[in-house]
Structure formats: structure tokens, C-alpha cells
Amino acid sequence: MGDCRPLGFLLGLPFALIALVLSLVGAVIWVIGTVLSCLCPCCVCCAGLANLAMGIIKLPFKVLKWFTEQIPC
């Protein structure tokens, strides 16, 4: 499917590095949200915060996939 799209990978690399930094922030938020939801299980917002952080952690892969799909063969 994406054998002839190395240009999209190279163009998306700087944005993926920025997304990688954001994913590290997301990992910290996820750990904090998980600890808070364990300490106070009635706090629903902490579980939502942890789910949001998981989306942020997956961001670099989504960015690279989007950039490689934008470049035609």
C-alpha cells in the first residue's frame, strides 16, 4: 500500500517529533489520571483524562500515517 511514499515520511518527520513530545506529556497526564482514579474511583473526570492522554500518546503514529497518505505515488 505505501511502498513508494518515502517523501511523505520525510515531510512528516518534524511534525511527528513535535507529536512525540506531546505524547510524552500525554504519558505523564495518563499516569497522573490513573493514580487519581485509583485513589478516588468516584471521580469520573480522571478516567476521561486518562482516555484523552491515550489519544495524545498515539498522536505520532497518526501524524506519520496522515502525511504518508497525502503524498501521491
Side-chain angles (χ1 to χ4, degrees), residues 16-55:
L17 291 176
I18 293 170
L20 180 65
V21 172
L22 288 175
S23 72
L24 293 175
V25 171
V28 170
I29 293 171
W30 178 74
V31 168
I32 292 171
T34 303
V35 169
L36 287 176
S37 66
C38 288
L39 293 176
C40 181
C42 62
C43 190
V44 177
C45 63
C46 293
L49 186 66
N51 289 334
L52 176 71
M54 286 303 294

Side-chain angles (χ1 to χ4, degrees), residues 4-18:
C4 60
R5 298 181 181 180
L7 186 61
F9 176 77
L10 291 176
L11 288 174
L13 201 55
F15 298 105
L17 291 176
I18 293 170

